[in-house]
Amino acid sequence: MSNDHILGTYDEELTNLQILITKMGNECAEMIRQAIDCVINNDSNAAKQVVSRDKLINAINAEITVLSQNVIALRSPMANDLRLILTIFQNALNLERTGDLAKNIAKIIVKNDLVIDASARDKLEKLSDAVLQNLTDVITAFNGLDEAKAQTIFDADKLVDDLHDDFSSSLMLRIKNDDAHSETVMHLLFISRHLERIGDHAKNIAEATIYAVSGEINQLDEFDDVQFEALLNA
Amino acid sequence: MASNSPSDTQEIDPVVVCKNVNVFYGDKQAINNISLDILPKTITAFIGPSGCGKSTFLRALNRMNDTIEGCRMEGEILIDNTNIYHPDIDVVPLRARVGMVFQKPNPFPKSIFDNVAYGPKIHGLAKTNAELADIVENALRGSGLWEEVKDRLDQPGTGLSGGQQQRLCIARTIAVAPEIILMDEPCSALDPIATAKIEALMTDLAKDFTIIIVTHSMQQAARVSKKTAFFHLGDLIEYDNTETIFTNPTDSKTQDYITGRFG
């Protein structure tokens, strides 16, 4: 905050919310990192721990919901404060979904033995590194209400999409060629898709960051009014 | 300097046009060169910290400041294209045309009927007693009070509850068929239920009247008004659609005030 509220307790509540959302973001990033390590190492025991870690993410989400509700009900936030609370609430939902996707990746390892060759491993690591970079960058951008940094996520997400396309195309080709490990290939396709979706959630958080700072709803800029009306009435 | 007319309503002719208004109390300048347009049949809220000039500016709109010794005004305030500060303007009909409701309900020490009938009588709006009774009934209906008082119109107005007294004052104001109603913190002495009734009434009245309200309650400004003007230290800082003011104001002073960062 650039300057403090007259009521110091109001500042404390907003700071608590910001600390919680940053903690949630960092927990999600760590959970994704561990889930990918489990895939690469084919480690089902570690994967079970990743699955149980999702409960912590859900608990933080619940705490953010209650605190946001209380601030809205008791403080009647306005302008940038209102936008901050709305985006923290919205970001918590996005992060909660990334936690679910990391859990889904880990569950694949709990239930299956994957045989991953060097080429697949390389593509998976490139994709997961790009996704994790975007997620940690957007958490930093939101924490600092850094609109410029948030803007960089849009281009960075295109790289994630390209890496996902490249990885999934190579996997599809292996299916087409009757790869001996087609079950592993199918699971890797799901993992690639989950990572790409995590990238989309990072992009949503970038949009929310821009809205929190400027009040501009970036997503709608892609449509003009006529297109928007047509979509609504479709 | 704030824009004097909200962008999406420029095609509507304003009912009040204020041009370069300055108000002084003796040597002290309370309003600094404010230009502001008020749209017809719209609720406009004036907000700002104590001493910002919002009540002074409100009172300038029906020349209530004339009664304050040492108060001086410069600039023009046009209502329907007539400068209300022109020397030929008679303030008595002006104040019928631009009525006012005050912070504390101030019924006359008369019956409920006489409270409402007083204005129409002195302005000669009724030729017969039957016409006068009609005006009183319509005004009391308009203020949402008729059903509560129709069987005790001869009882003193001062015997009503605070909220009812304020609605009686609103009935008294609308009985003389004003064009504009000024409200200076009309709910600050009322409980939340009476406040809600007055706010609902304001929304109804805005179909027929232009309403300008000074309020310290930002929630009230947000609930009832379509336009909001933020004043600070005698300056008009920002004037825009109420939604914009409370969600994404342009000026950092407005944002700091409405988010509770200075007062």
Side-chain angles (χ1 to χ4, degrees), chain A residues 142-187:
Chain A
F142 185 69
N143 189 37
L145 292 176
D146 185 341
E147 192 179 358
K149 194 173 180 69
Q151 284 284 1
T152 65
I153 303 300
F154 298 107
D155 278 342
D157 187 57
K158 286 177 188 155
L159 172 66
V160 168
D161 289 345
D162 289 345
L163 290 169
H164 163 64
D165 288 345
D166 178 50
F167 189 25
S168 53
S169 299
S170 70
L171 294 168
M172 291 299 285
L173 193 63
R174 284 173 61 174
I175 291 173
K176 208 172 165 184
N177 294 338
D178 295 326
D179 189 286
H181 301 291
S182 59
E183 198 179 321
T184 291
V185 172
M186 285 300 297
H187 288 308

Side-chain angles (χ1 to χ4, degrees), chain A residues 1 3-7 10 76 78-83 214-215, chain B residues 218-219 222 245-249 255-256 258-263:
Chain A
M1 283 296 148
N3 54 350
D4 293 340
H5 290 89
I6 297 164
L7 268 172
Y10 188 6
S76 300
M78 301 277 192
N80 57 340
D81 292 337
L82 178 61
R83 296 199 304 272
S214 67
Chain B
M218 284 178 291
Q219 281 69 37
I245 291 286
F246 289 107
T247 58
N248 199 11
Q255 179 152 287
D256 284 350
I258 63 169
T259 56
R261 288 183 167 86
F262 79 83

Side-chain angles (χ1 to χ4, degrees), chain B residues 222-247:
Chain B
R223 283 193 298 265
V224 302
S225 71
K226 190 172 177 191
K227 308 288 170 196
T228 296
F230 170 60
F231 292 73
H232 184 236
L233 299 175
D235 293 319
L236 174 64
I237 302 296
E238 191 164 352
Y239 178 38
D240 211 325
N241 293 329
T242 296
E243 282 171 11
T244 305
I245 291 286
F246 289 107
T247 58

Side-chain angles (χ1 to χ4, degrees), chain B:
Chain B
M1 181 53 66
S3 164
N4 66 343
S5 59
S7 56
D8 69 335
T9 44
Q10 278 175 345
E11 66 277 10
I12 302 169
D13 286 337
V15 64
V16 182
V17 175
C18 305
K19 292 182 183 172
N20 307 109
V21 173
N22 293 283
V23 180
F24 302 83
Y25 294 115
D27 293 337
K28 187 183 178 303
Q29 187 162 359
I31 296 292
N32 307 321
N33 198 36
I34 287 181
S35 296
L36 177 79
D37 293 350
I38 301 288
L39 299 171
K41 295 182 182 175
T42 297
I43 302 175
T44 302
F46 291 174
I47 62 168
S50 296
C52 69
K54 58 190 186 297
S55 290
T56 296
F57 194 80
L58 186 82
R59 289 197 304 265
L61 300 177
N62 71 346
R63 295 184 54 173
M64 287 294 281
N65 290 329
D66 290 10
T67 60
I68 299 171
E69 201 178 322
C71 186
R72 184 166 57 86
M73 189 272 190
E74 290 174 358
E76 284 187 343
I77 294 178
L78 308 174
I79 296 180
D80 293 332
N81 301 315
T82 303
N83 183 6
I84 63 167
Y85 282 85
H86 190 278
D88 292 345
I89 292 289
D90 181 349
V91 295
V92 175
L94 170 70
R95 287 175 193 154
R97 205 165 141 211
V98 186
M100 192 152 191
V101 177
F102 296 88
Q103 186 171 357
K104 198 174 167 213
N106 55 352
F108 303 138
K110 289 170 174 288
S111 70
I112 293 167
F113 184 93
D114 285 345
N115 259 279
V116 183
Y118 183 82
K121 271 187 196 167
I122 63 164
H123 289 290
L125 300 180
K127 289 180 188 143
T128 64
N129 285 341
E131 271 185 27
L132 188 61
D134 278 349
I135 290 173
V136 170
E137 180 176 338
N138 286 336
L140 286 168
R141 283 188 188 281
S143 72
L145 199 56
W146 176 251
E147 292 301 326
E148 294 164 56
V149 301
K150 65 183 179 187
D151 299 326
R152 48 176 173 146
L153 293 172
D154 57 342
Q155 300 290 307
T158 48
L160 297 172
S161 71
Q164 287 174 324
Q165 285 187 23
Q166 195 62 304
R167 281 185 284 145
L168 179 63
C169 293
I170 291 171
R172 196 174 64 189
T173 303
I174 62 177
V176 293
E179 191 175 356
I180 299 162
I181 302 172
L182 309 178
M183 295 186 166
D184 194 354
E185 296 201 55
C187 302
S188 62
L190 305 181
D191 67 53
I193 301 297
T195 296
K197 286 181 182 173
I198 298 281
E199 288 177 359
L201 175 58
M202 286 170 67
T203 308
D204 283 344
L205 291 173
K207 292 169 189 156
D208 299 311
F209 306 98
T210 300
I211 296 176
I212 306 167
I213 177 175
V214 161
T215 177
H216 271 130
S217 164
M218 284 178 291
Q219 281 69 37
Q220 181 169 63
R223 283 193 298 265
V224 302
S225 71
K226 190 172 177 191
K227 308 288 170 196
T228 296
F230 170 60
F231 292 73
H232 184 236
L233 299 175
D235 293 319
L236 174 64
I237 302 296
E238 191 164 352
Y239 178 38
D240 211 325
N241 293 329
T242 296
E243 282 171 11
T244 305
I245 291 286
F246 289 107
T247 58
N248 199 11
T250 304
D251 196 286
S252 60
K253 284 198 195 89
T254 314
Q255 179 152 287
D256 284 350
Y257 180 69
I258 63 169
T259 56
R261 288 183 167 86
F262 79 83

